[in-house]
Amino acid sequence: MIIEGVVANWLIMKKLLMFVLLIAGYGAAAQDSLKSINAERVQTTINGMRVLGGWGFANIGVGAAGWAASKGGQNRYFYQMTTVWGGVNAAIAMNGYASARKEINQSLTTAESLKAQRKIERIFLFNGALDVVYIGAGFYLDTRGSNTNNAQLKGYGTSVALQGAFLLLFDATMYRTQRGNGSKLRRFLAKAPITFTGKSIGIQLNI
């Protein structure tokens, strides 16, 4: 009886150990997939900041050269505003790039991954709305400059409208790309009933 009890307990422990290893193995695989999705989000942001930074520095160069060469009038103010916008875009890009680089080696839980994904989507969506305002403001300044024969307003207005148009294209593209990554994350989490945080294992039950 004792031997049978030991054998029975050993079989139970063996099955329990196999179950735990199965869950741990599944959780580790899930973590790897989650890490991959997070890495894609970060890399997309990094690539976007490179594009924005390139646009910003290009505007600084072109704007400064045009500003120095212009002899006044609408062109002078256009290049002046272009230089300013270039500096702002370059600063935003460098800050965004540095922040994204810090996230490369981070290991996020499912909750943290969702929070980070929603945050980046909201940022580009909000920026897109601001871009529409910039374009409208640019056209307003240009129109007012034409009505009042004000070269400064026309130059500033044309530059602001151009910058707003580029930023709208940029933010719309970034939002669409990040939204796609977010959809991938949500599909993954919907199919993964087991989550692994690196310290604990959780089982999600849909009821």
Side-chain angles (χ1 to χ4, degrees):
M1 294 291 294
I2 295 177
I3 295 177
E4 291 178 357
V6 171
V7 172
N9 288 335
W10 182 83
L11 291 174
I12 292 173
M13 291 297 295
K14 182 180 179 181
K15 291 180 180 179
L16 181 60
L17 181 59
M18 291 178 64
F19 177 71
V20 171
L21 290 175
L22 178 64
I23 293 178
Y26 186 92
Q31 181 70 2
D32 288 341
S33 298
L34 187 61
K35 185 176 182 179
S36 176
I37 295 174
N38 283 326
E40 187 174 344
R41 168 179 53 79
V42 174
Q43 190 58 52
T44 297
T45 302
I46 288 175
N47 291 340
M49 293 304 101
R50 287 171 176 166
V51 172
L52 182 60
W55 170 259
F57 284 113
N59 275 275
I60 292 175
V62 172
W67 188 358
S70 62
K71 298 180 180 180
Q74 181 180 339
N75 284 344
R76 177 178 179 81
Y77 295 113
F78 171 82
Y79 286 119
Q80 188 181 79
M81 181 60 72
T82 298
T83 305
V84 173
W85 272 84
V88 172
N89 286 333
I92 292 174
M94 288 188 292
N95 181 66
Y97 180 84
S99 297
R101 291 284 299 179
K102 293 178 181 179
E103 300 180 38
I104 290 179
N105 296 320
Q106 288 184 349
S107 182
L108 304 181
T109 64
T110 53
E112 291 170 338
S113 299
L114 278 171
K115 182 178 180 181
Q117 185 62 51
R118 288 169 179 165
K119 178 181 178 181
I120 198 67
E121 290 176 19
R122 285 197 297 266
I123 287 174
F124 287 114
L125 185 62
F126 177 75
N127 286 347
L130 281 180
D131 299 335
V132 175
V133 175
Y134 297 150
I135 295 172
F139 280 121
Y140 170 77
L141 291 175
D142 182 64
T143 300
R144 184 171 177 79
S146 297
N147 294 336
T148 59
N149 196 28
N150 189 315
Q152 183 178 27
L153 291 180
K154 283 186 64 63
Y156 284 174
T158 303
S159 178
V160 171
L162 176 62
Q163 296 294 327
F166 169 81
L167 290 176
L168 180 60
L169 176 61
F170 170 79
D171 288 319
T173 302
M174 290 296 294
Y175 173 76
R176 182 177 179 181
T177 305
Q178 291 288 14
R179 182 67 179 175
N181 193 64
S183 297
K184 185 188 300 183
L185 172 62
R186 285 179 275 273
R187 286 195 302 269
F188 167 76
L189 295 179
K191 294 178 181 178
I194 301 176
T195 59
F196 180 65
T197 66
K199 296 181 179 179
S200 62
I201 297 174
I203 299 178
Q204 174 182 309
L205 298 178
N206 296 321
I207 56 175

